Amino acid sequence: MREAIKEAARGWLHLTIGAAISLLCYLMVGVALFTVFLTATVIGAGVLPESVLLLRRMAGWERRRTAAWTGTPVPEAYLPLEGPLPARVRTAVTDPGTRRDLVWAAAQLLYGSVLWYLSLIVWAPALLVDGVWTGLAGRRPVALPLIGRLAGLAADWSRALLTPTPSAARDAALAARIEQLTATRAGAVAAHGAELRRIERDLHDGAQARLVALSMRIGLARRAYDSDPAAGRKLLDDAQTQAEEALAELRHVVRGIHPPILTDRGLTGAVRALAASSGLEVVVSVTGLADHTGPGDGHDQDASTGHGHGHDRDTSTEHRHGHGHGHGHGGNGSAGHGTAPRAPAPAPALDNAPRAPAAVEAAAYFVVAEALTNAAKHSGAARASVGLARERTGLRVRVRDEGRGGAEAREGGGSGLTGMRRRVAALDGTVRLTSPEGGPTVIEVELPCVW
């Protein structure tokens, strides 16, 4: 009996709130008439979109109530009310969701009040009947559950009236997709502009300045060579040093546009080179991707600052890169001090696996580079892991460090994470960052592509 009373009280509360919404719908009749009058006079057309937004909020409240009662979400599908006033008015009038909300409001005005009144009528007789039936006969309550059934009936009607049609759902999904693509396009354009400015700045302040100094140094050497050969040779030596520095600057700029190692060794070799030069102990695992790193090693020649060992397992390869004991990989098949064996070559099946498009590989590379750089600079971690996996719909990248966490709060949505998100969003990918205080920090990126 106690449980039956609790359930009946819950149903009656649901019906009471529905009656309150019915009263709001009654007030919305006056708002609708006022809106129609102002819209007809043209000067008050701006009231129409705001009234439709108010109606959407009421319908959204009813959807949440219905979902809480039934345990099943009620979908919604609306066209966005954005843009200039004429476009907003046209959208508000032509949106199928607006018509469904109006039909629901008119129906709620009736069944919300009627069902609530019925619940009031049922309460007293139900308590009397079930009190006797349960107390004397020891049977299950039969009258109090009627109030719950009335609440369920109200929820069923609200669900039927507020669930969008398939065509309306498709239109709303298409509109949301267009809005998302517009935002990602704007982000991609902004990122492209920032990248061009960075390249221009690097070329102007770095390589160009060094080349100008080199030209002047060669000119001075030519003029001094006949009169003072020793001074001329010194100037030529300085010019050679400046030429090497200019080449290093140019390599840095080119690496920022598209790292050559991606072309030479593929994504797996490039990521292993990043791992070796990160200053952390990094485990790299690769599943289903082509491996062009050569027999047993995936490190760049410029990043041989550790020692590694690894093993193949099924269709994945895993390598651990350290930064403390080794001094680079020699050409004799040894690593570190010459005692640790090289990792065995990946399975031949991986050599024939297709590669992701160049833009996808570049995005994945820069995601790993940014994540490992942040881990080395800010997290205080000594270990990290990088996972690359080929999936049916694209490429998945996962970077985890065992640091202090709080990456989102620490960077405040800074340029590093913002640039990463923009680069991934430009390819219609997704970024998920999990970084609670105390760690660990996990960055998961999915880049869609066709293999």
Side-chain angles (χ1 to χ4, degrees), residues 110-142:
L110 298 175
Y111 71 77
S113 301
V114 170
L115 293 177
W116 181 69
Y117 283 127
L118 287 177
S119 68
L120 289 179
I121 296 172
V122 169
W123 255 116
L127 286 174
L128 179 60
V129 170
D130 283 342
V132 174
W133 182 255
T134 304
L136 298 180
R139 303 294 183 88
R140 296 176 61 87
V142 293

Side-chain angles (χ1 to χ4, degrees), residues 158-425:
S158 295
R159 176 181 296 278
L161 291 171
L162 291 175
T163 300
T165 61
S167 60
R170 286 194 299 269
D171 292 343
L174 179 61
R177 180 63 173 161
I178 292 174
E179 184 178 2
Q180 178 191 10
L181 291 177
T182 301
T184 56
R185 182 186 64 180
V189 170
H192 179 67
E195 188 73 7
L196 287 179
R197 289 190 295 272
R198 182 191 67 80
I199 294 171
E200 180 182 8
R201 183 176 62 253
D202 290 347
L203 288 175
H204 182 272
D205 298 341
Q208 178 176 310
R210 294 185 186 279
L211 290 174
V212 170
L214 172 63
S215 177
M216 295 176 60
R217 187 79 60 178
I218 293 176
L220 291 174
R222 289 179 59 187
R223 297 171 65 178
Y225 194 80
D226 293 335
S227 59
D228 189 353
R233 281 193 296 272
K234 185 179 184 305
L235 289 172
L236 287 176
D237 291 338
D238 293 341
Q240 182 179 5
T241 301
Q242 289 184 344
E244 293 173 353
E245 292 175 350
L247 284 175
E249 290 282 351
L250 287 175
R251 290 193 190 101
H252 175 72
V253 174
V254 171
R255 193 177 297 115
I257 300 172
H258 186 84
I261 191 174
L262 280 176
T263 303
D264 297 339
R265 299 188 179 182
L267 180 61
T268 54
V271 167
R272 288 183 185 130
L274 286 174
S277 60
S278 65
L280 304 173
E281 183 182 356
V282 183
V283 174
V284 178
S285 60
V286 181
T287 303
L289 293 178
D291 200 326
H292 304 287
T293 58
D297 188 34
H299 304 292
D300 191 3
Q301 292 175 355
D302 297 331
S304 56
T305 56
H307 74 279
H309 65 273
H311 58 277
D312 295 335
R313 183 168 54 206
D314 298 333
T315 59
S316 66
T317 59
E318 183 173 305
H319 296 263
R320 183 181 300 273
H321 304 268
H323 188 84
H325 301 294
H327 303 283
H329 297 276
N332 58 354
S334 62
H337 296 293
T339 58
R342 284 183 180 269
L350 292 182
D351 293 331
N352 299 324
R355 289 181 58 172
V360 173
E361 285 192 344
Y365 176 86
F366 285 115
V367 164
V368 175
E370 180 67 30
L372 292 180
T373 299
N374 289 342
K377 287 184 177 180
H378 308 297
S379 72
R383 295 181 302 275
S385 63
V386 178
L388 304 174
R390 173 191 173 189
E391 296 184 342
R392 184 177 60 84
T393 57
L395 175 66
R396 180 166 53 85
V397 181
R398 187 176 187 272
V399 183
R400 173 189 172 109
D401 70 69
E402 305 298 332
R404 64 176 62 96
E408 194 76 71
R410 181 172 62 247
E411 291 206 7
S415 59
L417 290 175
T418 300
M420 180 190 300
R421 288 191 172 101
R422 281 181 173 176
R423 185 182 292 273
V424 173

Side-chain angles (χ1 to χ4, degrees), residues 15 29 42 72 82 85 106 127 240 257 260 273 303 343 352 383 430:
L15 292 171
V29 173
V42 179
T72 305
E82 298 177 345
L85 180 58
L127 286 174
Q240 182 179 5
I257 300 172
N352 299 324
R383 295 181 302 275
T430 58

